[in-house]
Structure formats: C-alpha cells, structure tokens
C-alpha cells in the first residue's frame, strides 16, 4: 500500500474514533439528562403529594443533590404544616361553640371569666399562626432556607418554585378573619350579658330578661352570631 493509501486509512480511523467519542458523549449526556429528569420528577411528585394530602413521608426517595433538595423541601413543609396544624387543633379542641349554652351561662356567668379568656387565647393563637405563616412565605425567608442547603442555582430555583404557598396562606388568613369575626360576636354577647347581669336570670333552661328592650338586643346579638357562623361555614366548606 502506498503512502497516500495509508494516510487515507489513518484519516478514516481518526474520523471513526472522533465520531465514536461524540456518539458516546451524546449517549452519556442523554443518560445524565434522563437520570436528572427522573430525580427531579421524584422530588416534584413528593412535594405535590404533600400539598394534596398534607402528610409528609420523611423517607428520602431521590438521590444525589436531589436528595438534599428533597430533604430541605420536606423540612420546610414540615415546619409549615406543623404551624397550620397548631391552629387546626385549637379550632378542633375549642368549646367556644358552647359558650352560650345554658350550662355554660349558669356555670361561668354572669362575668364569663373562663369563656372570655378562652376567646382571648384563641384570638392570640390565630394571630401568632397568621404572622408565622406570612413570615415563612416571604421571599427572604425562603431564599435563606434555600441557601442553607448550599446547592447550585439550578436546585435553588427548584426549591423556591416548589414552595409557592402564597395562595394557601391567603386562604388561611381569610378563614382566620372569618373565625375572628365569629369569636367577636360571641364576645360581644358575653359582654352584653355581663353589663346587664342584674336584668336577667336563668330559669327552666332559658334566659329571662326583666326588660323587653334587653331581650330585643339579646336576639339581635344572636342573629349576628348566626350570620358570622354561616359566613365561617361557607369559607371552610
């Protein structure tokens, strides 16, 4: 074989090798991108499931950097849901709906010290939770949490995008506002009864007033309570 033939064969071999390297690189990139997308989907699916069920599976299902991202997101959502559950438990355990029962009026009236204290504590818890959630969903708070993970911008962007809870906080704030209005109507009724304690009594499981205008005011207060309660039910259903 002459030199020209050898050079041609050599060039062909080099081209084949280069093409092979390019193909292998492309395959490697494709495999990496597929792996990366799979891990990202695992994290996103986990977060979507938490948002839907409000339950957190603490098992980390992704790998590599995504495992750090997943844990960071779950830690944040655990903190968030713990705070919302505090208020939910307060609402579930309160006996404020029985504030105007004949039993409570007889036991805690006419000053209603315990009932008014319960209303005060519940209102304080509402504001505490509302403030905490509003702070947790600020851009500054979320960015600080993301930076604590020491991940690249790519993962940080996924973190901040996944934690879009503004609408949820707005809904909770609306509910708190309506519940607070409901509590205020009950509180107003209790103050009314306290201020006029010399003009009513409990007899045969009924409140009896010695003045007709006070009975009218009592019924007006009852209507306000019922309206506030109906408004609350609309927003919570």
């Amino acid at each position: 074989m002459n030199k020209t033939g050898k050079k041609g064969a050599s060039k062909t071999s080099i081209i084949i090798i280069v093409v092979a390297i390019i193909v292998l690189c492309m395959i490697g990139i494709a495999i990496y991108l597929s792996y990366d997308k799979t891990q990202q989907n695992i994290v996103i699916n986990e977060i979507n499931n938490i948002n839907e069920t409000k339950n957190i599976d603490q098992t980390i299902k992704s790998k590599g950097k995504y495992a750090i991202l997943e844990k960071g997101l779950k830690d944040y959502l655990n903190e968030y849901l713990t705070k919302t559950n505090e208020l939910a438990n307060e609402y579930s355990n309160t006996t404020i709906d029985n504030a105007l029962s004949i039993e409570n009026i007889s036991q805690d009236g006419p000053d209603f010290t315990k009932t008014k204290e319960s209303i005060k504590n519940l209102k304080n818890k509402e504001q505490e939770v509302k403030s905490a959630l509003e702070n947790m969903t600020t851009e500054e708070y979320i960015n600080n949490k993301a930076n604590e993970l020491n991940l690249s911008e790519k993962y940080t962007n996924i973190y901040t995008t996944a934690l879009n809870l503004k609408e949820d906080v707005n809904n909770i704030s609306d509910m708190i506002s309506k519940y607070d209005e409901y509590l205020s109507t009950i509180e107003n009724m209790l103050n009314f009864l306290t201020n006029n304690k010399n003009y009513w009594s409990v007899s045969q499981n009924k409140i009896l007033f010695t003045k007709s205008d006070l009975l009218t005011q009592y019924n007006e207060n009852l209507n306000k309570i019922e309206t506030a309660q109906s408004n609350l039910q609309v927003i919570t259903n």
Side-chain angles (χ1 to χ4, degrees):
M1 181 180 293
N2 57 35
K3 292 183 178 180
T4 303
K6 289 182 178 180
K7 288 182 179 179
S10 178
K11 287 182 179 179
T12 301
S13 298
I14 292 173
I15 292 172
I16 293 173
I17 293 172
V18 170
V19 170
I21 291 173
I22 292 173
V23 170
L24 289 174
C25 287
M26 292 178 66
I27 292 174
I29 292 171
I31 291 173
Y32 170 77
L33 291 176
S34 176
Y35 171 83
D36 187 78
K37 188 64 176 177
T38 298
Q39 296 304 310
Q40 182 175 328
N41 286 339
I42 290 173
V43 174
I44 292 174
N45 288 338
E46 283 293 294
I47 301 309
N48 288 340
N49 185 58
I50 293 171
N51 289 332
E52 290 174 7
T53 66
K54 306 302 180 185
N55 292 318
I56 300 177
D57 180 357
Q58 293 290 358
T59 303
I60 304 302
K61 299 179 181 178
S62 56
K63 298 178 181 179
K65 297 291 185 180
Y66 282 102
I68 299 174
L69 174 64
E70 181 185 347
K71 185 178 186 306
L73 286 167
K74 287 183 174 180
D75 286 345
Y76 174 95
L77 289 171
N78 183 60
E79 181 184 1
Y80 179 87
L81 291 175
T82 296
K83 188 56 66 174
T84 60
N85 288 337
E86 284 181 17
L87 185 58
N89 290 334
E90 288 287 334
Y91 284 154
S92 297
N93 295 329
T94 184
T95 58
I96 205 65
D97 289 339
N98 299 322
L100 295 175
S101 67
I102 294 299
E103 180 181 5
N104 190 65
I105 290 174
S106 298
Q107 292 179 356
D108 198 30
D111 294 321
F112 301 100
T113 304
K114 292 181 180 179
T115 309
K116 290 177 182 178
E117 184 67 19
S118 295
I119 292 175
K120 177 183 176 182
N121 291 338
L122 188 50
K123 283 188 172 184
N124 288 340
K125 174 57 71 173
E126 286 179 325
Q127 295 310 310
E128 175 198 325
V129 170
K130 181 180 178 181
S131 296
L133 296 181
E134 288 175 345
N135 177 60
M136 286 182 64
T137 51
T138 60
E139 184 177 345
E140 179 183 5
Y141 188 94
I142 292 175
N143 285 337
N144 286 339
K145 285 292 184 179
N147 291 334
E148 289 176 5
L149 301 178
N150 293 318
L151 294 174
S152 67
E153 183 179 357
K154 166 188 167 182
Y155 299 98
T156 298
N157 288 338
I158 297 173
Y159 183 95
T160 55
T161 301
L163 297 177
N164 185 14
L165 297 167
K166 289 285 188 180
E167 183 178 353
D168 190 61
V169 172
N170 288 337
N171 290 336
I172 293 174
S173 295
D174 288 342
M175 181 190 68
I176 288 175
S177 178
K178 293 299 181 184
Y179 206 103
D180 199 62
E181 290 176 10
Y182 171 59
L183 292 175
S184 292
T185 59
I186 295 176
E187 191 173 29
N188 289 339
M189 174 66 95
L190 297 179
N191 289 334
F192 165 77
L193 292 174
T194 299
N195 294 336
N196 296 283
K197 59 186 175 183
N198 295 327
Y199 304 104
W200 62 268
S201 61
V202 174
S203 178
Q204 297 181 344
N205 291 326
K206 294 181 180 179
I207 298 180
L208 302 178
F209 289 90
T210 59
K211 294 183 177 182
S212 60
D213 61 319
L214 292 180
L215 176 59
T216 300
Q217 292 180 52
Y218 175 81
N219 288 329
E220 289 175 350
N221 284 330
L222 275 183
N223 289 335
K224 291 177 181 178
I225 293 172
E226 291 173 358
T227 299
Q229 190 171 36
S230 296
N231 292 337
L232 177 61
Q233 290 173 346
V234 168
I235 200 171
T236 54
N237 289 338

